[in-house]
Amino acid sequence: MLDFSSLLLAAALSGICLSVTMFAIWFTAPKAGFVLTAACGILMLVAHVILFWRCTKDPDPLLCQIVLALLTLGFLILCVSAMQYLGVPGYRRAVAPSLAAMAVCAVVTFLGLDGVGFIVTYITVTALLSAIGAMFWINGSHDRRILLVVSFLSGTCAVSFALCGAVLLAKGQWTLAVAPDNWAERLNSVVAVACMTGLGALTLSLHHLQAQIELKAETMTDPLTGLLNRRALTSLYGERSFGPFMSVVMFDLDHFKRTNDVYGHPVGDQVLCRFAAVIKKYARTGVDAFRLGGEEFAVVMSRMTEEKAHDLASKICVAFGTEIVATQLGKLRSTVSGGLGFGEADGSSLDKVLTEADTALYAAKHAGRNCVVSRNRMGEADPIKPALRSA
C-alpha cells in the first residue's frame, strides 16, 4: 500500500507532466491564454505538494505559511483560467476574497495556530473549486457532457478538501506543529491526483473544441465586413426548404467599380463596411446577413410576409443612402439595388430562391438602380428616397 509520501510524489509528478503539456500547447497556440494560466496554476500546486512533503519531514512555521499560500494561489489561478476560457468578467470577485483569506491564514499561522490556517485554506480552496464547477455548468456553451464532467471533477475535489478541513475542525486541532496526516489528507491526495489529471485532459479537450469553433467561425466569416460568407449561406440554408414566409434579398452596390476607380480601393472597403453595418442594424432573429463576394450581399428573412420583406429591404436601402464616407475628393454617398426572391408553398431550394432574387436584382439595375424589385413589383421599381446616386 502506498504511504503518504508516495501519494504526494504521485501528485507532484502528475502535475508536472500536465503543466509541461499545457505549456507546449500554449507555445503552439499563443491565443489560448487560459491554457497558459492553467499551466501556471498547476505549477503553483506542484510547488505546494513538494513543500508540503518537505513540511512533513521538517516542520517549520514559515514553510507552513508558504505551503498554504501556494495552495490557495494555485487554485485561484485555476479559477481565473476558467473565467478566461468562459469569458466571465470580474476577476476581482475571485482574487480579493482569496487574497483576504491568504492574509488571515498567514496571521493565524504566525501566531502559532497553524491548524486554523489549514482550515481557512481548505475552506478557501473548497470555495474556489466549487466556483469553477458552477461557472462551467452555468456559463459553458459547448458540449454539456464535457461540462458536466468538469463540474463533477471540480465538485469531487472540493469535497475532498472540505473533508480535510472538517476533520481538523471536528478534532479541534487548532495547533498542529506538523503537517496534518489523517485519512482525509490521504483520500485528498488520491482524489486530487485523479481529478487534476482528469481536469487536465478535459482542459486539452476544451482547447481543441474551442480551436475547432474558432476555425469554423473564421471559414464562415467575411474578414472585411464581419458578416457571414457564401460558405455559411450554403451551410445554414443549403438543405433548407424555403416556404412562403421565407425570402432572400440580394443587394448589389451601385456603380461600385466607379467608386473604386475614382476614390481608391481603401474607400471602396469603407463603403462595403458601411453597408455591412447598416445590414447589422436590421439583423434580428430570423434575419441573417451574408457577403457573397465583391459588392454582393444577401439577407435571408424568415417568418416574414412578402410585403414586410420588401419593406425591410427598402429600409436598408434608405438607411445606406444616408451614409457618408469622407474622402480626399469630398463626401461620398452611395446607393444600393436589391432583388427579392421568395419561397413557395410546396417548398423551394436555396438555389431557386437565389435565382429569383438575382433576376429581380437585374431588373432593379435596369430600372435605374437605387431601388428594390420583387416578382410582384416588377413595374414598381421607383428609386428609393432620400438616397442620392453614387459617384
PDB file of all heavy atoms in Angstrom, residues 149-186:
ATOM      1  N   VAL A 149     -18.828  16.737 -16.755  1.00  0.00           N
ATOM      2  CA  VAL A 149     -17.685  16.028 -16.177  1.00  0.00           C
ATOM      3  C   VAL A 149     -16.751  17.018 -15.474  1.00  0.00           C
ATOM      4  O   VAL A 149     -16.237  16.741 -14.380  1.00  0.00           O
ATOM      5  CB  VAL A 149     -16.929  15.236 -17.259  1.00  0.00           C
ATOM      6  CG1 VAL A 149     -15.686  14.586 -16.671  1.00  0.00           C
ATOM      7  CG2 VAL A 149     -17.827  14.174 -17.872  1.00  0.00           C
ATOM      8  N   VAL A 150     -16.514  18.188 -16.094  1.00  0.00           N
ATOM      9  CA  VAL A 150     -15.674  19.209 -15.470  1.00  0.00           C
ATOM     10  C   VAL A 150     -16.274  19.630 -14.131  1.00  0.00           C
ATOM     11  O   VAL A 150     -15.573  19.726 -13.111  1.00  0.00           O
ATOM     12  CB  VAL A 150     -15.523  20.437 -16.394  1.00  0.00           C
ATOM     13  CG1 VAL A 150     -14.811  21.576 -15.661  1.00  0.00           C
ATOM     14  CG2 VAL A 150     -14.750  20.070 -17.650  1.00  0.00           C
ATOM     15  N   SER A 151     -17.569  19.873 -14.116  1.00  0.00           N
ATOM     16  CA  SER A 151     -18.237  20.273 -12.879  1.00  0.00           C
ATOM     17  C   SER A 151     -18.162  19.165 -11.828  1.00  0.00           C
ATOM     18  O   SER A 151     -17.938  19.435 -10.641  1.00  0.00           O
ATOM     19  CB  SER A 151     -19.702  20.625 -13.168  1.00  0.00           C
ATOM     20  OG  SER A 151     -19.798  21.715 -14.061  1.00  0.00           O
ATOM     21  N   PHE A 152     -18.331  17.920 -12.264  1.00  0.00           N
ATOM     22  CA  PHE A 152     -18.287  16.793 -11.324  1.00  0.00           C
ATOM     23  C   PHE A 152     -16.906  16.651 -10.698  1.00  0.00           C
ATOM     24  O   PHE A 152     -16.770  16.483  -9.477  1.00  0.00           O
ATOM     25  CB  PHE A 152     -18.681  15.505 -12.039  1.00  0.00           C
ATOM     26  CG  PHE A 152     -18.500  14.268 -11.198  1.00  0.00           C
ATOM     27  CD1 PHE A 152     -19.407  13.962 -10.191  1.00  0.00           C
ATOM     28  CD2 PHE A 152     -17.412  13.418 -11.411  1.00  0.00           C
ATOM     29  CE1 PHE A 152     -19.221  12.825  -9.401  1.00  0.00           C
ATOM     30  CE2 PHE A 152     -17.235  12.287 -10.626  1.00  0.00           C
ATOM     31  CZ  PHE A 152     -18.140  11.990  -9.616  1.00  0.00           C
ATOM     32  N   LEU A 153     -15.858  16.722 -11.525  1.00  0.00           N
ATOM     33  CA  LEU A 153     -14.497  16.578 -11.008  1.00  0.00           C
ATOM     34  C   LEU A 153     -14.135  17.726 -10.071  1.00  0.00           C
ATOM     35  O   LEU A 153     -13.516  17.523  -9.025  1.00  0.00           O
ATOM     36  CB  LEU A 153     -13.501  16.508 -12.170  1.00  0.00           C
ATOM     37  CG  LEU A 153     -13.555  15.239 -13.034  1.00  0.00           C
ATOM     38  CD1 LEU A 153     -12.559  15.332 -14.182  1.00  0.00           C
ATOM     39  CD2 LEU A 153     -13.265  13.992 -12.197  1.00  0.00           C
ATOM     40  N   SER A 154     -14.524  18.942 -10.449  1.00  0.00           N
ATOM     41  CA  SER A 154     -14.258  20.092  -9.575  1.00  0.00           C
ATOM     42  C   SER A 154     -14.984  19.934  -8.250  1.00  0.00           C
ATOM     43  O   SER A 154     -14.426  20.201  -7.179  1.00  0.00           O
ATOM     44  CB  SER A 154     -14.697  21.391 -10.268  1.00  0.00           C
ATOM     45  OG  SER A 154     -13.997  21.600 -11.469  1.00  0.00           O
ATOM     46  N   GLY A 155     -16.248  19.493  -8.321  1.00  0.00           N
ATOM     47  CA  GLY A 155     -17.020  19.294  -7.098  1.00  0.00           C
ATOM     48  C   GLY A 155     -16.445  18.203  -6.221  1.00  0.00           C
ATOM     49  O   GLY A 155     -16.386  18.337  -4.988  1.00  0.00           O
ATOM     50  N   THR A 156     -16.005  17.098  -6.838  1.00  0.00           N
ATOM     51  CA  THR A 156     -15.409  15.996  -6.075  1.00  0.00           C
ATOM     52  C   THR A 156     -14.147  16.446  -5.365  1.00  0.00           C
ATOM     53  O   THR A 156     -13.922  16.136  -4.178  1.00  0.00           O
ATOM     54  CB  THR A 156     -15.081  14.820  -7.016  1.00  0.00           C
ATOM     55  OG1 THR A 156     -16.277  14.385  -7.662  1.00  0.00           O
ATOM     56  CG2 THR A 156     -14.482  13.663  -6.240  1.00  0.00           C
ATOM     57  N   CYS A 157     -13.300  17.185  -6.088  1.00  0.00           N
ATOM     58  CA  CYS A 157     -12.065  17.697  -5.482  1.00  0.00           C
ATOM     59  C   CYS A 157     -12.389  18.673  -4.347  1.00  0.00           C
ATOM     60  O   CYS A 157     -11.730  18.681  -3.305  1.00  0.00           O
ATOM     61  CB  CYS A 157     -11.215  18.377  -6.556  1.00  0.00           C
ATOM     62  SG  CYS A 157      -9.478  18.546  -6.131  1.00  0.00           S
ATOM     63  N   ALA A 158     -13.431  19.479  -4.543  1.00  0.00           N
ATOM     64  CA  ALA A 158     -13.847  20.424  -3.498  1.00  0.00           C
ATOM     65  C   ALA A 158     -14.279  19.682  -2.243  1.00  0.00           C
ATOM     66  O   ALA A 158     -13.932  20.072  -1.118  1.00  0.00           O
ATOM     67  CB  ALA A 158     -14.980  21.307  -4.025  1.00  0.00           C
ATOM     68  N   VAL A 159     -15.026  18.603  -2.421  1.00  0.00           N
ATOM     69  CA  VAL A 159     -15.480  17.813  -1.273  1.00  0.00           C
ATOM     70  C   VAL A 159     -14.293  17.222  -0.515  1.00  0.00           C
ATOM     71  O   VAL A 159     -14.277  17.197   0.732  1.00  0.00           O
ATOM     72  CB  VAL A 159     -16.433  16.686  -1.745  1.00  0.00           C
ATOM     73  CG1 VAL A 159     -16.709  15.696  -0.611  1.00  0.00           C
ATOM     74  CG2 VAL A 159     -17.735  17.278  -2.260  1.00  0.00           C
ATOM     75  N   SER A 160     -13.278  16.752  -1.248  1.00  0.00           N
ATOM     76  CA  SER A 160     -12.113  16.154  -0.581  1.00  0.00           C
ATOM     77  C   SER A 160     -11.376  17.184   0.267  1.00  0.00           C
ATOM     78  O   SER A 160     -10.909  16.860   1.375  1.00  0.00           O
ATOM     79  CB  SER A 160     -11.170  15.535  -1.619  1.00  0.00           C
ATOM     80  OG  SER A 160     -10.516  16.533  -2.388  1.00  0.00           O
ATOM     81  N   PHE A 161     -11.274  18.419  -0.204  1.00  0.00           N
ATOM     82  CA  PHE A 161     -10.632  19.460   0.600  1.00  0.00           C
ATOM     83  C   PHE A 161     -11.517  19.860   1.777  1.00  0.00           C
ATOM     84  O   PHE A 161     -11.023  20.154   2.875  1.00  0.00           O
ATOM     85  CB  PHE A 161     -10.322  20.690  -0.264  1.00  0.00           C
ATOM     86  CG  PHE A 161      -9.040  20.570  -1.032  1.00  0.00           C
ATOM     87  CD1 PHE A 161      -9.046  20.279  -2.388  1.00  0.00           C
ATOM     88  CD2 PHE A 161      -7.816  20.746  -0.405  1.00  0.00           C
ATOM     89  CE1 PHE A 161      -7.867  20.163  -3.107  1.00  0.00           C
ATOM     90  CE2 PHE A 161      -6.619  20.631  -1.111  1.00  0.00           C
ATOM     91  CZ  PHE A 161      -6.646  20.333  -2.464  1.00  0.00           C
ATOM     92  N   ALA A 162     -12.838  19.860   1.534  1.00  0.00           N
ATOM     93  CA  ALA A 162     -13.753  20.183   2.622  1.00  0.00           C
ATOM     94  C   ALA A 162     -13.640  19.148   3.741  1.00  0.00           C
ATOM     95  O   ALA A 162     -13.694  19.490   4.942  1.00  0.00           O
ATOM     96  CB  ALA A 162     -15.188  20.241   2.096  1.00  0.00           C
ATOM     97  N   LEU A 163     -13.461  17.878   3.379  1.00  0.00           N
ATOM     98  CA  LEU A 163     -13.300  16.821   4.389  1.00  0.00           C
ATOM     99  C   LEU A 163     -12.032  17.027   5.213  1.00  0.00           C
ATOM    100  O   LEU A 163     -12.021  16.790   6.424  1.00  0.00           O
ATOM    101  CB  LEU A 163     -13.273  15.446   3.706  1.00  0.00           C
ATOM    102  CG  LEU A 163     -14.607  14.944   3.142  1.00  0.00           C
ATOM    103  CD1 LEU A 163     -14.403  13.648   2.374  1.00  0.00           C
ATOM    104  CD2 LEU A 163     -15.621  14.746   4.261  1.00  0.00           C
ATOM    105  N   CYS A 164     -10.971  17.470   4.535  1.00  0.00           N
ATOM    106  CA  CYS A 164      -9.717  17.731   5.263  1.00  0.00           C
ATOM    107  C   CYS A 164      -9.927  18.788   6.335  1.00  0.00           C
ATOM    108  O   CYS A 164      -9.471  18.651   7.484  1.00  0.00           O
ATOM    109  CB  CYS A 164      -8.627  18.173   4.289  1.00  0.00           C
ATOM    110  SG  CYS A 164      -8.061  16.881   3.155  1.00  0.00           S
ATOM    111  N   GLY A 165     -10.624  19.857   5.954  1.00  0.00           N
ATOM    112  CA  GLY A 165     -10.893  20.908   6.927  1.00  0.00           C
ATOM    113  C   GLY A 165     -11.844  20.445   8.012  1.00  0.00           C
ATOM    114  O   GLY A 165     -11.682  20.809   9.191  1.00  0.00           O
ATOM    115  N   ALA A 166     -12.838  19.627   7.624  1.00  0.00           N
ATOM    116  CA  ALA A 166     -13.823  19.153   8.593  1.00  0.00           C
ATOM    117  C   ALA A 166     -13.185  18.262   9.656  1.00  0.00           C
ATOM    118  O   ALA A 166     -13.547  18.331  10.841  1.00  0.00           O
ATOM    119  CB  ALA A 166     -14.934  18.391   7.873  1.00  0.00           C
ATOM    120  N   VAL A 167     -12.222  17.426   9.253  1.00  0.00           N
ATOM    121  CA  VAL A 167     -11.540  16.546  10.215  1.00  0.00           C
ATOM    122  C   VAL A 167     -10.771  17.366  11.244  1.00  0.00           C
ATOM    123  O   VAL A 167     -10.843  17.101  12.452  1.00  0.00           O
ATOM    124  CB  VAL A 167     -10.599  15.568   9.472  1.00  0.00           C
ATOM    125  CG1 VAL A 167      -9.692  14.844  10.464  1.00  0.00           C
ATOM    126  CG2 VAL A 167     -11.407  14.561   8.670  1.00  0.00           C
ATOM    127  N   LEU A 168     -10.034  18.371  10.773  1.00  0.00           N
ATOM    128  CA  LEU A 168      -9.286  19.223  11.700  1.00  0.00           C
ATOM    129  C   LEU A 168     -10.238  19.976  12.616  1.00  0.00           C
ATOM    130  O   LEU A 168      -9.975  20.127  13.818  1.00  0.00           O
ATOM    131  CB  LEU A 168      -8.430  20.219  10.908  1.00  0.00           C
ATOM    132  CG  LEU A 168      -7.307  19.624  10.048  1.00  0.00           C
ATOM    133  CD1 LEU A 168      -6.575  20.736   9.311  1.00  0.00           C
ATOM    134  CD2 LEU A 168      -6.319  18.843  10.910  1.00  0.00           C
ATOM    135  N   LEU A 169     -11.343  20.433  12.057  1.00  0.00           N
ATOM    136  CA  LEU A 169     -12.317  21.188  12.850  1.00  0.00           C
ATOM    137  C   LEU A 169     -12.976  20.292  13.887  1.00  0.00           C
ATOM    138  O   LEU A 169     -13.165  20.690  15.056  1.00  0.00           O
ATOM    139  CB  LEU A 169     -13.376  21.778  11.915  1.00  0.00           C
ATOM    140  CG  LEU A 169     -14.336  22.822  12.508  1.00  0.00           C
ATOM    141  CD1 LEU A 169     -13.562  24.038  13.001  1.00  0.00           C
ATOM    142  CD2 LEU A 169     -15.364  23.239  11.472  1.00  0.00           C
ATOM    143  N   ALA A 170     -13.339  19.060  13.471  1.00  0.00           N
ATOM    144  CA  ALA A 170     -14.005  18.132  14.394  1.00  0.00           C
ATOM    145  C   ALA A 170     -13.097  17.733  15.550  1.00  0.00           C
ATOM    146  O   ALA A 170     -13.555  17.562  16.697  1.00  0.00           O
ATOM    147  CB  ALA A 170     -14.463  16.892  13.625  1.00  0.00           C
ATOM    148  N   LYS A 171     -11.816  17.599  15.287  1.00  0.00           N
ATOM    149  CA  LYS A 171     -10.860  17.210  16.324  1.00  0.00           C
ATOM    150  C   LYS A 171     -10.359  18.395  17.139  1.00  0.00           C
ATOM    151  O   LYS A 171      -9.635  18.215  18.122  1.00  0.00           O
ATOM    152  CB  LYS A 171      -9.666  16.487  15.701  1.00  0.00           C
ATOM    153  CG  LYS A 171     -10.022  15.124  15.090  1.00  0.00           C
ATOM    154  CD  LYS A 171      -8.785  14.448  14.534  1.00  0.00           C
ATOM    155  CE  LYS A 171      -9.110  13.061  13.976  1.00  0.00           C
ATOM    156  NZ  LYS A 171      -7.895  12.383  13.453  1.00  0.00           N
ATOM    157  N   GLY A 172     -10.723  19.603  16.694  1.00  0.00           N
ATOM    158  CA  GLY A 172     -10.275  20.789  17.412  1.00  0.00           C
ATOM    159  C   GLY A 172      -8.777  20.981  17.343  1.00  0.00           C
ATOM    160  O   GLY A 172      -8.171  21.466  18.308  1.00  0.00           O
ATOM    161  N   GLN A 173      -8.183  20.620  16.233  1.00  0.00           N
ATOM    162  CA  GLN A 173      -6.725  20.726  16.085  1.00  0.00           C
ATOM    163  C   GLN A 173      -6.355  22.140  15.616  1.00  0.00           C
ATOM    164  O   GLN A 173      -6.062  22.375  14.452  1.00  0.00           O
ATOM    165  CB  GLN A 173      -6.229  19.668  15.098  1.00  0.00           C
ATOM    166  CG  GLN A 173      -6.398  18.239  15.613  1.00  0.00           C
ATOM    167  CD  GLN A 173      -5.886  17.207  14.637  1.00  0.00           C
ATOM    168  OE1 GLN A 173      -6.308  17.150  13.483  1.00  0.00           O
ATOM    169  NE2 GLN A 173      -4.964  16.356  15.101  1.00  0.00           N
ATOM    170  N   TRP A 174      -6.379  23.067  16.560  1.00  0.00           N
ATOM    171  CA  TRP A 174      -6.054  24.445  16.216  1.00  0.00           C
ATOM    172  C   TRP A 174      -4.546  24.639  16.070  1.00  0.00           C
ATOM    173  O   TRP A 174      -4.110  25.531  15.333  1.00  0.00           O
ATOM    174  CB  TRP A 174      -6.583  25.385  17.293  1.00  0.00           C
ATOM    175  CG  TRP A 174      -7.964  25.056  17.769  1.00  0.00           C
ATOM    176  CD1 TRP A 174      -8.365  24.835  19.051  1.00  0.00           C
ATOM    177  CD2 TRP A 174      -9.144  24.907  16.964  1.00  0.00           C
ATOM    178  NE1 TRP A 174      -9.703  24.546  19.114  1.00  0.00           N
ATOM    179  CE2 TRP A 174     -10.213  24.594  17.835  1.00  0.00           C
ATOM    180  CE3 TRP A 174      -9.400  24.987  15.597  1.00  0.00           C
ATOM    181  CZ2 TRP A 174     -11.512  24.370  17.396  1.00  0.00           C
ATOM    182  CZ3 TRP A 174     -10.689  24.763  15.146  1.00  0.00           C
ATOM    183  CH2 TRP A 174     -11.735  24.470  16.027  1.00  0.00           C
ATOM    184  N   THR A 175      -3.784  23.828  16.760  1.00  0.00           N
ATOM    185  CA  THR A 175      -2.322  23.882  16.673  1.00  0.00           C
ATOM    186  C   THR A 175      -1.825  22.494  16.304  1.00  0.00           C
ATOM    187  O   THR A 175      -2.130  21.504  16.982  1.00  0.00           O
ATOM    188  CB  THR A 175      -1.701  24.307  18.011  1.00  0.00           C
ATOM    189  OG1 THR A 175      -2.224  25.583  18.388  1.00  0.00           O
ATOM    190  CG2 THR A 175      -0.182  24.396  17.874  1.00  0.00           C
ATOM    191  N   LEU A 176      -1.008  22.428  15.243  1.00  0.00           N
ATOM    192  CA  LEU A 176      -0.541  21.138  14.746  1.00  0.00           C
ATOM    193  C   LEU A 176       0.948  20.916  14.982  1.00  0.00           C
ATOM    194  O   LEU A 176       1.381  19.852  15.390  1.00  0.00           O
ATOM    195  CB  LEU A 176      -0.837  21.010  13.246  1.00  0.00           C
ATOM    196  CG  LEU A 176      -2.320  21.014  12.839  1.00  0.00           C
ATOM    197  CD1 LEU A 176      -2.443  21.045  11.315  1.00  0.00           C
ATOM    198  CD2 LEU A 176      -3.021  19.794  13.398  1.00  0.00           C
ATOM    199  N   ALA A 177       1.726  21.941  14.662  1.00  0.00           N
ATOM    200  CA  ALA A 177       3.196  21.869  14.755  1.00  0.00           C
ATOM    201  C   ALA A 177       3.804  21.011  13.653  1.00  0.00           C
ATOM    202  O   ALA A 177       4.989  21.121  13.350  1.00  0.00           O
ATOM    203  CB  ALA A 177       3.659  21.357  16.119  1.00  0.00           C
ATOM    204  N   VAL A 178       2.993  20.133  13.053  1.00  0.00           N
ATOM    205  CA  VAL A 178       3.461  19.318  11.925  1.00  0.00           C
ATOM    206  C   VAL A 178       2.366  19.328  10.864  1.00  0.00           C
ATOM    207  O   VAL A 178       1.212  19.665  11.135  1.00  0.00           O
ATOM    208  CB  VAL A 178       3.760  17.862  12.355  1.00  0.00           C
ATOM    209  CG1 VAL A 178       4.928  17.798  13.318  1.00  0.00           C
ATOM    210  CG2 VAL A 178       2.529  17.214  12.964  1.00  0.00           C
ATOM    211  N   ALA A 179       2.745  18.921   9.664  1.00  0.00           N
ATOM    212  CA  ALA A 179       1.756  18.849   8.591  1.00  0.00           C
ATOM    213  C   ALA A 179       0.714  17.790   8.923  1.00  0.00           C
ATOM    214  O   ALA A 179       1.065  16.712   9.433  1.00  0.00           O
ATOM    215  CB  ALA A 179       2.432  18.520   7.268  1.00  0.00           C
ATOM    216  N   PRO A 180      -0.566  18.069   8.700  1.00  0.00           N
ATOM    217  CA  PRO A 180      -1.608  17.096   9.043  1.00  0.00           C
ATOM    218  C   PRO A 180      -1.475  15.811   8.231  1.00  0.00           C
ATOM    219  O   PRO A 180      -1.135  15.831   7.054  1.00  0.00           O
ATOM    220  CB  PRO A 180      -2.914  17.833   8.687  1.00  0.00           C
ATOM    221  CG  PRO A 180      -2.516  18.861   7.685  1.00  0.00           C
ATOM    222  CD  PRO A 180      -1.128  19.273   8.046  1.00  0.00           C
ATOM    223  N   ASP A 181      -1.727  14.684   8.888  1.00  0.00           N
ATOM    224  CA  ASP A 181      -1.673  13.368   8.233  1.00  0.00           C
ATOM    225  C   ASP A 181      -2.800  12.521   8.806  1.00  0.00           C
ATOM    226  O   ASP A 181      -2.688  11.985   9.912  1.00  0.00           O
ATOM    227  CB  ASP A 181      -0.310  12.713   8.472  1.00  0.00           C
ATOM    228  CG  ASP A 181      -0.190  11.364   7.753  1.00  0.00           C
ATOM    229  OD1 ASP A 181      -1.136  11.015   6.998  1.00  0.00           O
ATOM    230  OD2 ASP A 181       0.823  10.673   7.945  1.00  0.00           O
ATOM    231  N   ASN A 182      -3.905  12.428   8.085  1.00  0.00           N
ATOM    232  CA  ASN A 182      -5.042  11.647   8.534  1.00  0.00           C
ATOM    233  C   ASN A 182      -5.724  11.022   7.310  1.00  0.00           C
ATOM    234  O   ASN A 182      -5.264  11.204   6.174  1.00  0.00           O
ATOM    235  CB  ASN A 182      -6.029  12.523   9.328  1.00  0.00           C
ATOM    236  CG  ASN A 182      -6.398  13.795   8.571  1.00  0.00           C
ATOM    237  OD1 ASN A 182      -6.882  13.713   7.442  1.00  0.00           O
ATOM    238  ND2 ASN A 182      -6.139  14.951   9.179  1.00  0.00           N
ATOM    239  N   TRP A 183      -6.802  10.295   7.534  1.00  0.00           N
ATOM    240  CA  TRP A 183      -7.466   9.602   6.431  1.00  0.00           C
ATOM    241  C   TRP A 183      -7.985  10.574   5.367  1.00  0.00           C
ATOM    242  O   TRP A 183      -7.960  10.270   4.172  1.00  0.00           O
ATOM    243  CB  TRP A 183      -8.614   8.745   6.956  1.00  0.00           C
ATOM    244  CG  TRP A 183      -9.749   9.563   7.543  1.00  0.00           C
ATOM    245  CD1 TRP A 183      -9.914   9.925   8.839  1.00  0.00           C
ATOM    246  CD2 TRP A 183     -10.871  10.091   6.827  1.00  0.00           C
ATOM    247  NE1 TRP A 183     -11.057  10.666   9.001  1.00  0.00           N
ATOM    248  CE2 TRP A 183     -11.674  10.771   7.778  1.00  0.00           C
ATOM    249  CE3 TRP A 183     -11.271  10.061   5.508  1.00  0.00           C
ATOM    250  CZ2 TRP A 183     -12.852  11.429   7.439  1.00  0.00           C
ATOM    251  CZ3 TRP A 183     -12.452  10.712   5.152  1.00  0.00           C
ATOM    252  CH2 TRP A 183     -13.233  11.380   6.104  1.00  0.00           C
ATOM    253  N   ALA A 184      -8.421  11.771   5.815  1.00  0.00           N
ATOM    254  CA  ALA A 184      -8.933  12.752   4.860  1.00  0.00           C
ATOM    255  C   ALA A 184      -7.809  13.288   3.969  1.00  0.00           C
ATOM    256  O   ALA A 184      -7.993  13.498   2.763  1.00  0.00           O
ATOM    257  CB  ALA A 184      -9.615  13.896   5.602  1.00  0.00           C
ATOM    258  N   GLU A 185      -6.627  13.510   4.570  1.00  0.00           N
ATOM    259  CA  GLU A 185      -5.483  14.002   3.798  1.00  0.00           C
ATOM    260  C   GLU A 185      -5.066  12.963   2.758  1.00  0.00           C
ATOM    261  O   GLU A 185      -4.761  13.296   1.600  1.00  0.00           O
ATOM    262  CB  GLU A 185      -4.309  14.312   4.722  1.00  0.00           C
ATOM    263  CG  GLU A 185      -4.525  15.491   5.656  1.00  0.00           C
ATOM    264  CD  GLU A 185      -4.506  16.826   4.938  1.00  0.00           C
ATOM    265  OE1 GLU A 185      -4.024  16.881   3.782  1.00  0.00           O
ATOM    266  OE2 GLU A 185      -4.969  17.814   5.526  1.00  0.00           O
ATOM    267  N   ARG A 186      -5.056  11.680   3.159  1.00  0.00           N
ATOM    268  CA  ARG A 186      -4.664  10.621   2.228  1.00  0.00           C
ATOM    269  C   ARG A 186      -5.697  10.477   1.104  1.00  0.00           C
ATOM    270  O   ARG A 186      -5.350  10.319  -0.065  1.00  0.00           O
ATOM    271  CB  ARG A 186      -4.512   9.300   2.978  1.00  0.00           C
ATOM    272  CG  ARG A 186      -3.350   9.313   3.973  1.00  0.00           C
ATOM    273  CD  ARG A 186      -3.345   8.100   4.870  1.00  0.00           C
ATOM    274  NE  ARG A 186      -2.242   8.171   5.836  1.00  0.00           N
ATOM    275  CZ  ARG A 186      -1.021   7.701   5.606  1.00  0.00           C
ATOM    276  NH1 ARG A 186      -0.745   7.114   4.460  1.00  0.00           N
ATOM    277  NH2 ARG A 186      -0.073   7.812   6.516  1.00  0.00           N
TER     278      ARG A 186
END
